[in-house]
Amino acid sequence: SDRISQEIGFRWSFFLISGLGRGIYAWEEAAYLLQDQAQPKYAPHYLETAFYGRKLMNRFLLQLAANEEVAVALAEDDPKTNRYRAAQKFVIDETQHLLKTFVRTEKNVAQGNASPIQEELHKRFTKLAKELVKGLVNLRHEHVLKMTWLNPILLSSCLESKNEDVLEGIRKFVEMTETEPKTDPKPAEMDVSESENPELDAGLDKFEKMLESQPEGALKSDDATESEEPAPAETVAPSNNPPAQESNSRSLSADI
């Protein structure tokens, strides 16, 4: 997870991710070498293991690509001495490998007479390619502007692909690296000259009539109210007369 990656540091995190990459190649090689041999019932399925490893690799590639230092690493830096340049090169190589494998499986199925295993591989690598491209497009636009180093790989790897979803995702990513993010337009001012709410209109009419009925000087500005000190309350002698009825202004404000 991101929390564990931050705790162990970038150096060890990248070391483990690159180790997973080497393991994936080893599992794929084992699956190729043993494809024509009978396997024990409970033997590990190397191709299945490799595919699960590539699902994890997609997540790690997006984490590396989202790293600020990886995004701005210079191409002329030596990957052997600069770990961020090494991580950037790792993202390029693994992205290229995944997309080229996806295109190869697409070709095998398009030629016809594909075996069930080839069809399943195409289905799974298509899903992996879509997930990776979608994850790249979902990165912050300001961050993607610094990732022009990935454009040549995305464009060259899928030149022969016919998958519209993958091609559209690549097109969006390339556009994001070449255009500044759009700023939110200034919100339009509300036109209060006319209203489409009859209840609101009726309430405003009542409020205006109440203001007109107030004596001159009854309403004061906020500045005037703050500058004046409240007058001392007058002492009123107790009276046996019943209290006067409340003003109609309370009922009118309730109607509003």
Side-chain angles (χ1 to χ4, degrees):
S1 65
D2 293 338
R3 180 183 62 82
I4 297 177
S5 178
Q6 292 175 358
E7 288 181 355
I8 66 176
F10 182 84
R11 178 183 177 184
W12 285 106
S13 177
F14 178 57
F15 172 77
L16 295 174
I17 294 173
S18 58
L20 174 62
R22 291 191 294 270
I24 291 173
Y25 289 118
W27 296 326
E28 290 176 342
E29 182 68 16
Y32 173 77
L33 295 175
L34 300 175
Q35 61 181 342
D36 297 328
Q37 301 181 18
Q39 298 298 316
K41 182 177 180 180
Y42 298 105
H45 197 299
Y46 292 107
L47 199 58
E48 190 76 28
T49 305
F51 174 75
Y52 182 74
R54 289 209 170 276
K55 289 183 66 177
L56 292 176
M57 180 59 69
N58 267 4
R59 292 175 50 191
F60 296 142
L61 289 177
L62 293 174
Q63 287 182 2
L64 291 175
N67 185 286
E68 184 71 18
E69 287 78 5
V70 173
V72 299
L74 301 178
E76 55 267 23
D77 291 340
D78 187 0
K80 295 181 180 179
T81 57
N82 188 322
R83 64 174 65 97
Y84 296 110
R85 170 57 184 153
Q88 185 186 96
K89 186 176 183 301
F90 182 82
V91 172
I92 292 174
D93 293 341
E94 290 299 320
T95 300
Q96 184 179 35
H97 181 81
L98 172 61
L99 293 180
K100 283 191 172 183
T101 304
F102 152 68
V103 173
R104 186 163 60 248
T105 61
E106 187 180 51
K107 276 185 178 180
N108 293 337
V109 173
Q111 291 173 356
N113 300 325
S115 65
I117 294 181
Q118 289 177 325
E119 291 180 354
E120 182 64 23
L121 281 176
H122 171 59
K123 178 181 177 182
R124 295 193 178 192
F125 273 94
T126 299
K127 184 177 180 180
L128 288 173
K130 288 181 179 180
E131 288 177 352
L132 180 59
V133 173
K134 182 179 179 181
L136 292 172
V137 173
N138 287 337
L139 294 174
R140 292 184 302 106
H141 197 160
E142 295 81 359
H143 185 80
V144 174
L145 285 171
K146 308 168 186 175
M147 297 179 61
T148 53
W149 43 268
L150 194 56
N151 286 352
I153 302 303
L154 294 176
L155 293 173
S156 62
S157 300
C158 294
L159 282 176
E160 301 177 5
S161 176
K162 301 295 189 296
N163 190 288
E164 294 295 334
D165 293 333
V166 175
L167 294 177
E168 179 65 16
I170 292 176
R171 183 190 65 79
K172 287 182 179 179
F173 181 85
V174 173
E175 286 183 354
M176 290 172 66
T177 61
E178 298 175 349
T179 59
E180 294 290 337
K182 296 180 180 180
T183 57
D184 294 335
K186 182 179 179 180
E189 296 182 358
M190 183 181 298
D191 184 8
V192 296
S193 58
E194 295 182 0
S195 174
E196 298 179 357
N197 191 335
E199 295 182 358
L200 177 61
D201 291 339
L204 291 175
D205 291 339
K206 290 181 179 180
F207 184 71
E208 290 178 356
K209 291 180 180 179
M210 183 187 71
L211 292 180
E212 293 174 357
S213 64
Q214 298 295 321
E216 184 177 356
L219 296 178
K220 299 180 180 180
S221 64
D222 294 338
D223 296 337
T225 304
E226 293 177 358
S227 61
E228 293 181 8
E229 297 182 357
E234 296 181 358
T235 305
V236 181
S239 174
N240 294 328
N241 297 330
Q245 294 184 351
E246 295 183 357
S247 172
N248 293 333
S249 60
R250 176 176 298 181
S251 62
L252 184 57
S253 60
D255 293 337
I256 297 175

